[in-house]
Amino acid sequence: MHRIFSLSFAVLYPLYVTKVEKKGRTTQELDQVIEWLTGFDDADLQRHIAEHTTLEDFFDDAELNPNAPLITGVICGMRVEEIEDPLMQRIRYMDKLVDELARGKAMAKILRTA
C-alpha cells in the first residue's frame, strides 16, 4: 500500500488552497473542482476535513464523475490515464484538476464540459 493512501484529506486540502490562491483562484473554485470529481457537496467536504478522512476512505466514499476518464496528461511524472492502481489514479485525477485550476485553465475545460 502506498503511503499517500493513508494521508488525511484534511492535510492535503490546505495545500491545495494555498496552491490555487497563490495563482489567483478561489477556494470556492477549488471546492467546485473537487466536488465535480467526487460527487460530494460542501457539507461532505467539510465532514471529510473535520474527520481527517484518509484519501483511501475519501475516495471509497466518493461517486466518481463519469467524465473523470477524460482527465489526461502528466502529473507527478505519471500519465494519469496510464496509472493502473484505481485509487492512485483517482488521487492523481484530483491533483491534475487542481493543477489545471492553478494554471488558470477555464473552469468549463477543467470540468470537461467544453
Side-chain angles (χ1 to χ4, degrees):
M1 184 166 104
H2 199 280
R3 70 180 201 171
I4 195 171
F5 297 168
S6 61
L7 180 69
S8 166
F9 180 70
V11 170
L12 185 59
Y13 183 77
L15 300 174
Y16 284 159
V17 170
T18 300
K19 181 175 186 171
V20 301
E21 286 182 343
K22 197 182 297 184
K23 298 293 186 165
R25 300 305 285 258
T26 67
T27 303
Q28 290 77 22
E29 289 172 310
L30 173 63
D31 291 351
Q32 182 182 358
V33 166
I34 294 171
E35 290 168 10
W36 175 87
L37 177 65
T38 62
F40 295 145
D41 61 18
D42 288 337
D44 292 327
L45 281 184
Q46 293 309 312
R47 179 177 52 82
H48 284 292
I49 292 168
E51 293 177 0
H52 292 269
T53 306
T54 65
L55 289 179
E56 182 173 20
D57 291 337
F58 180 81
F59 281 105
D60 279 348
D61 195 29
E63 184 85 27
L64 205 66
N65 189 296
N67 287 336
L70 298 176
I71 302 167
T72 59
V74 177
I75 192 77
C76 300
M78 296 181 271
R79 293 205 66 80
V80 293
E81 62 271 26
E82 296 174 359
I83 297 172
E84 292 183 15
D85 184 283
L87 177 55
M88 182 62 80
Q89 187 175 52
R90 291 174 177 180
I91 293 168
R92 296 306 179 200
Y93 279 161
M94 187 165 62
D95 288 342
K96 182 70 176 167
L97 294 176
V98 172
D99 191 54
E100 290 175 354
L101 182 64
R103 289 179 181 215
K105 196 169 191 179
M107 190 60 79
K109 290 188 181 218
I110 296 170
L111 303 182
R112 295 351 192 223
T113 57

